[in-house]
Coordinates of all heavy atoms in Angstrom, one line a residue:
Q14 N 45.0 56.1 29.8 CA 44.7 57.5 29.3 C 45.8 58.4 29.4 O 45.8 59.6 28.9 CB 43.4 58.0 29.9 CG 43.6 58.5 31.3 CD 43.3 57.4 32.4 OE1 43.5 56.2 32.1 NE2 42.8 57.7 33.6
N18 N 51.7 59.5 23.4 CA 51.4 59.1 22.0 C 52.6 59.3 21.2 O 53.2 60.3 21.0 CB 50.3 60.2 21.5 CG 50.0 59.9 20.1 OD1 50.5 59.0 19.4 ND2 49.1 60.8 19.6
I21 N 53.0 61.5 17.9 CA 52.5 62.9 18.0 C 52.9 63.7 16.8 O 53.9 63.6 16.2 CB 53.0 63.5 19.3 CG1 52.2 64.7 19.6 CG2 54.4 63.8 19.2 CD1 52.3 65.2 21.1
T22 N 51.9 64.5 16.3 CA 52.2 65.3 15.2 C 52.8 66.6 15.7 O 52.4 67.1 16.7 CB 50.9 65.6 14.3 OG1 49.9 66.0 15.2 CG2 50.6 64.4 13.5
K23 N 53.7 67.2 14.9 CA 54.3 68.4 15.3 C 53.3 69.6 15.1 O 53.0 69.9 13.9 CB 55.6 68.6 14.5 CG 56.8 68.6 15.3 CD 58.0 69.1 14.5 CE 59.1 68.0 14.4 NZ 60.2 68.3 13.5
A24 N 52.9 70.2 16.2 CA 52.0 71.3 15.9 C 52.9 72.6 16.0 O 54.1 72.5 16.2 CB 51.0 71.3 17.1
Q25 N 52.3 73.7 15.9 CA 53.0 74.9 16.0 C 53.6 75.0 17.5 O 53.0 74.6 18.4 CB 51.9 76.1 15.9 CG 52.5 77.5 16.0 CD 51.4 78.4 16.6 OE1 50.2 78.0 16.7 NE2 51.9 79.6 16.9
W59 N 49.8 80.4 26.4 CA 50.5 79.1 26.5 C 50.9 78.7 27.9 O 51.1 77.5 28.2 CB 51.8 79.2 25.7 CG 51.5 79.2 24.2 CD1 51.3 80.3 23.3 CD2 51.5 78.0 23.3 NE1 51.1 79.8 22.1 CE2 51.2 78.5 22.0 CE3 51.8 76.7 23.5 CZ2 51.1 77.6 20.9 CZ3 51.7 75.8 22.4 CH2 51.4 76.3 21.2
E238 N 56.8 67.8 26.7 CA 55.6 68.1 26.0 C 54.7 69.0 26.9 O 54.7 68.8 28.1 CB 54.8 66.7 25.7 CG 55.4 66.0 24.7 CD 54.6 64.7 24.3 OE1 53.6 64.4 25.0 OE2 54.9 64.1 23.3
V239 N 54.0 69.9 26.3 CA 53.2 70.8 27.0 C 51.7 70.7 26.6 O 51.4 70.4 25.4 CB 53.7 72.3 26.6 CG1 52.7 73.3 27.3 CG2 55.0 72.6 27.2
K240 N 50.9 70.7 27.5 CA 49.4 70.5 27.2 C 48.9 71.8 26.6 O 49.0 72.8 27.2 CB 48.6 70.1 28.4 CG 47.3 69.5 28.1 CD 46.7 68.7 29.2 CE 45.2 69.0 29.3 NZ 44.7 68.4 30.5
L241 N 48.2 71.6 25.5 CA 47.6 72.8 24.8 C 46.5 73.4 25.7 O 45.6 72.6 26.2 CB 47.0 72.4 23.4 CG 47.9 72.6 22.2 CD1 47.0 72.4 21.0 CD2 48.5 74.0 22.2
K242 N 46.5 74.7 25.8 CA 45.4 75.3 26.5 C 44.2 75.4 25.5 O 44.4 75.3 24.3 CB 45.8 76.7 27.0 CG 46.7 76.6 28.2 CD 47.0 78.0 28.7 CE 45.8 78.7 29.4 NZ 46.2 80.0 30.0
H243 N 43.1 75.9 26.0 CA 41.9 76.1 25.2 C 41.5 75.0 24.3 O 40.9 75.2 23.2 CB 42.1 77.4 24.3 CG 42.7 78.5 25.1 ND1 42.0 79.0 26.2 CD2 43.8 79.3 24.9 CE1 42.7 80.0 26.7 NE2 43.8 80.2 25.9
N244 N 41.8 73.8 24.6 CA 41.3 72.7 23.8 C 40.1 72.3 24.5 O 39.9 72.4 25.7 CB 42.3 71.6 23.6 CG 42.7 71.0 24.9 OD1 42.6 71.6 25.9 ND2 43.4 69.9 24.9
T245 N 39.2 71.6 23.7 CA 37.9 71.3 24.3 C 38.0 69.9 24.9 O 38.4 69.8 26.1 CB 36.8 71.3 23.2 OG1 37.4 70.7 22.1 CG2 36.4 72.8 23.0
D246 N 37.6 68.8 24.3 CA 37.6 67.5 24.9 C 38.8 66.8 24.8 O 39.3 66.0 25.6 CB 36.4 66.6 24.3 CG 35.2 67.4 24.0 OD1 34.9 68.4 24.8 OD2 34.7 67.2 23.0
L247 N 39.5 67.0 23.7 CA 40.7 66.2 23.3 C 41.8 66.8 24.0 O 42.1 68.0 24.0 CB 40.8 66.4 21.8 CG 41.6 65.2 21.1 CD1 40.9 63.9 21.2 CD2 41.9 65.6 19.7
E248 N 42.6 66.0 24.7 CA 43.9 66.3 25.3 C 44.9 66.4 24.2 O 45.2 65.5 23.4 CB 44.4 65.3 26.3 CG 43.9 65.5 27.7 CD 44.7 64.8 28.7 OE1 45.9 64.3 28.4 OE2 44.3 64.8 29.8
Q249 N 45.5 67.6 24.0 CA 46.5 67.7 23.0 C 47.8 68.2 23.6 O 47.8 69.2 24.3 CB 46.1 68.7 21.9 CG 45.4 68.1 20.8 CD 45.1 69.1 19.6 OE1 44.6 70.2 19.9 NE2 45.6 68.8 18.4
W250 N 48.9 67.4 23.3 CA 50.2 67.7 23.8 C 51.1 68.2 22.6 O 51.1 67.6 21.6 CB 50.8 66.5 24.5 CG 50.1 66.0 25.6 CD1 48.9 65.2 25.7 CD2 50.2 66.4 27.0 NE1 48.5 65.1 26.9 CE2 49.3 65.7 27.8 CE3 51.3 67.2 27.7 CZ2 49.3 65.9 29.2 CZ3 51.2 67.3 29.0 CH2 50.2 66.7 29.8
V251 N 51.8 69.2 22.9 CA 52.7 69.8 21.9 C 54.2 69.6 22.4 O 54.6 69.9 23.5 CB 52.5 71.4 21.8 CG1 53.5 72.0 20.9 CG2 51.1 71.6 21.3
R252 N 54.9 69.0 21.5 CA 56.3 68.8 21.8 C 57.1 70.1 21.8 O 56.9 70.9 20.9 CB 56.9 67.8 20.7 CG 58.3 67.3 20.9 CD 58.4 66.3 22.1 NE 57.7 65.0 21.7 CZ 58.3 64.0 21.1 NH1 59.5 64.0 20.7 NH2 57.5 62.9 20.9
V279 N 50.5 75.5 33.4 CA 50.1 74.5 32.4 C 50.8 73.2 32.7 O 51.9 73.0 33.0 CB 50.4 75.0 31.0 CG1 50.3 74.0 29.9 CG2 49.5 76.3 30.6
E280 N 50.0 72.1 32.4 CA 50.5 70.8 32.6 C 51.6 70.4 31.5 O 51.4 70.8 30.4 CB 49.4 69.8 32.4 CG 48.7 69.3 33.7 CD 47.8 68.1 33.7 OE1 47.2 67.9 32.7 OE2 47.8 67.5 34.7
H281 N 52.6 69.7 31.9 CA 53.6 69.2 31.0 C 54.1 67.8 31.4 O 53.8 67.4 32.6 CB 54.7 70.2 30.9 CG 55.3 70.7 32.2 ND1 54.7 71.5 33.1 CD2 56.4 70.4 32.8 CE1 55.4 71.8 34.1 NE2 56.5 71.0 34.0
R282 N 54.9 67.2 30.6 CA 55.4 65.8 31.0 C 56.6 65.6 30.1 O 56.8 66.3 29.1 CB 54.2 64.8 30.7 CG 53.9 64.6 29.2 CD 52.7 63.7 29.0 NE 52.6 63.5 27.5 CZ 51.5 62.8 27.1 NH1 50.6 62.3 27.9 NH2 51.4 62.6 25.8

Side-chain angles (χ1 to χ4, degrees):
Q14 75 270 30
N18 177 358
I21 194 166
T22 48
K23 242 190 243 175
Q25 178 210 354
W59 288 86
E238 292 184 347
V239 172
K240 195 163 143 185
L241 266 189
K242 284 183 72 172
H243 310 307
N244 59 342
T245 43
D246 324 318
L247 204 68
E248 270 202 9
Q249 266 187 307
W250 295 86
V251 174
R252 188 73 66 88
V279 169
E280 265 192 331
H281 52 287
R282 66 184 186 185

